[in-house]
Amino acid sequence: MVILFEPSDTVNKQNARAASTRARSMRSSWPRVMWNLFRPHTLTASFIPVLVGSALAWRTTGHLHILLMIAMLAASTLIQAAANMFNEYFDHVSGLDTAESVGIAGVITEYGVRPKTILRVAVAALFLATLLGVYICACSSWWLAAIGAISMLIGYLYTGGPYPIAATPLGEAFAGGFMGCGIILLSCFIQQKFVTGADVLASIPSAILIGAILTANNIRDRDGDKSNGRRTLAILLGHERAVRFLACCLVAANLWIVALVAARILPLGALLVLGSLWPSVAAIQIFRAGGTPAQMMLGMKRVAQTNTVFGILLLIGLL
């Protein structure tokens, strides 16, 4: 009897061809994978505070170190991107993210990227941020190295480690404090070598709005987070009270600017930020209607847009 083929060999060849096809597909889609992995729609939360802090310093001193500002922009964006990658990795490993999850980069579930690859890219992003940090410290103060190291650690611990910060009611406070106040004040310091009380007060709205982005995210994911044992602020408050809390945050950020203008701490042009209220209203309407995470995803985007529009209008007002 003549055996024309071995079934096992055929299966192996088919698997090899399939793997080769996936590899070619991955290479062709790698730019899109990286784009999704960076989550560009979230990066305004890292670079707008740099611009606002630099504008505050410019108003105080009358000059601006452009290269330092660019280095700070790049470092902040890389740290934010790394935090996004850690989030993608740890949420997948813990089983929190699946193919049906809403609002994730999807590079693991959709493109089949290995989780360890994402971890390596995240570490590479932090390494590049460290190199930029060395330049920033050399031009300002080496004390900033400790602050930079803490910021990177928080970026990792936000979703990594045995007790992720994102799984607690403190997620909004950490994100707002480090990305809002922290980035603005660091950007002020590297430009003018000091920080004023007015700088601190002007950074508060950014912290509030970045915290609001996390609140919106947690409202959308509340049911899934609860079933996975998380204890976010949205879970503790419940849907209706969490939406009211979100609305209060969005209004408070604007009222804070109005108060600073009234106190002559900020120029009259800062009132332009009131133009950010329209996406805020749209966001609250969407979240009040409730529904599935996919239906509330638009509300999440509207809150992120609020932060972006607010920051751009504040920047224009400061200039």
Side-chain angles (χ1 to χ4, degrees), residues 267-284:
L268 188 62
L271 292 179
L272 286 172
V273 300
L274 297 176
S276 69
L277 285 172
W278 69 266
S280 301
V281 173
I284 297 305

Side-chain angles (χ1 to χ4, degrees), residues 79-95:
I79 293 174
Q80 166 73 26
N84 289 341
M85 294 175 204
F86 286 133
N87 180 76
E88 189 83 3
Y89 172 80
F90 285 109
D91 282 0
H92 175 79
V93 170
S94 65

Side-chain angles (χ1 to χ4, degrees), residues 24-201:
R24 286 195 300 271
S25 176
M26 178 60 64
R27 285 193 294 271
S28 63
S29 61
W30 188 247
R32 181 180 296 179
V33 168
M34 292 302 298
W35 177 261
N36 289 349
L37 192 56
F38 269 68
R39 298 188 190 182
H41 63 281
T42 70
L43 297 182
T44 56
S46 60
F47 69 75
I48 284 183
V50 175
L51 298 176
V52 170
S54 300
L56 288 169
W58 175 79
R59 286 185 58 82
T60 301
T61 64
H63 64 266
L64 188 66
H65 195 307
I66 299 297
L67 288 180
L68 266 178
M69 184 183 73
I70 293 174
M72 186 67 184
L73 280 168
S76 298
T77 301
L78 285 168
I79 293 174
Q80 166 73 26
N84 289 341
M85 294 175 204
F86 286 133
N87 180 76
E88 189 83 3
Y89 172 80
F90 285 109
D91 282 0
H92 175 79
V93 170
S94 65
L96 190 63
D97 285 349
T98 65
E100 290 75 34
S101 296
V102 176
I104 64 173
V107 297
I108 299 176
T109 57
E110 182 178 350
Y111 293 98
V113 178
R114 294 178 181 178
K116 291 294 184 181
T117 299
I118 294 176
L119 204 57
R120 293 189 190 101
V121 176
V123 172
L126 290 183
F127 176 73
L128 292 176
T130 301
L131 295 180
L132 291 166
V134 170
Y135 168 71
I136 293 170
C137 290
C139 294
S140 54
S141 170
W142 288 103
W143 286 105
L144 296 183
I147 299 175
I150 293 172
S151 298
M152 291 182 184
L153 180 62
I154 293 298
Y156 172 81
L157 293 177
Y158 190 78
T159 52
Y163 304 104
I165 298 171
T168 74
L170 300 177
E172 286 85 349
F174 272 88
F178 276 88
M179 296 184 63
C181 293
I183 295 178
I184 287 179
L185 297 180
L186 282 174
S187 300
C188 286
F189 182 84
I190 65 175
Q191 293 289 340
Q192 61 193 22
K193 305 301 186 292
F194 59 86
V195 171
T196 67
D199 295 331
V200 176
L201 292 173

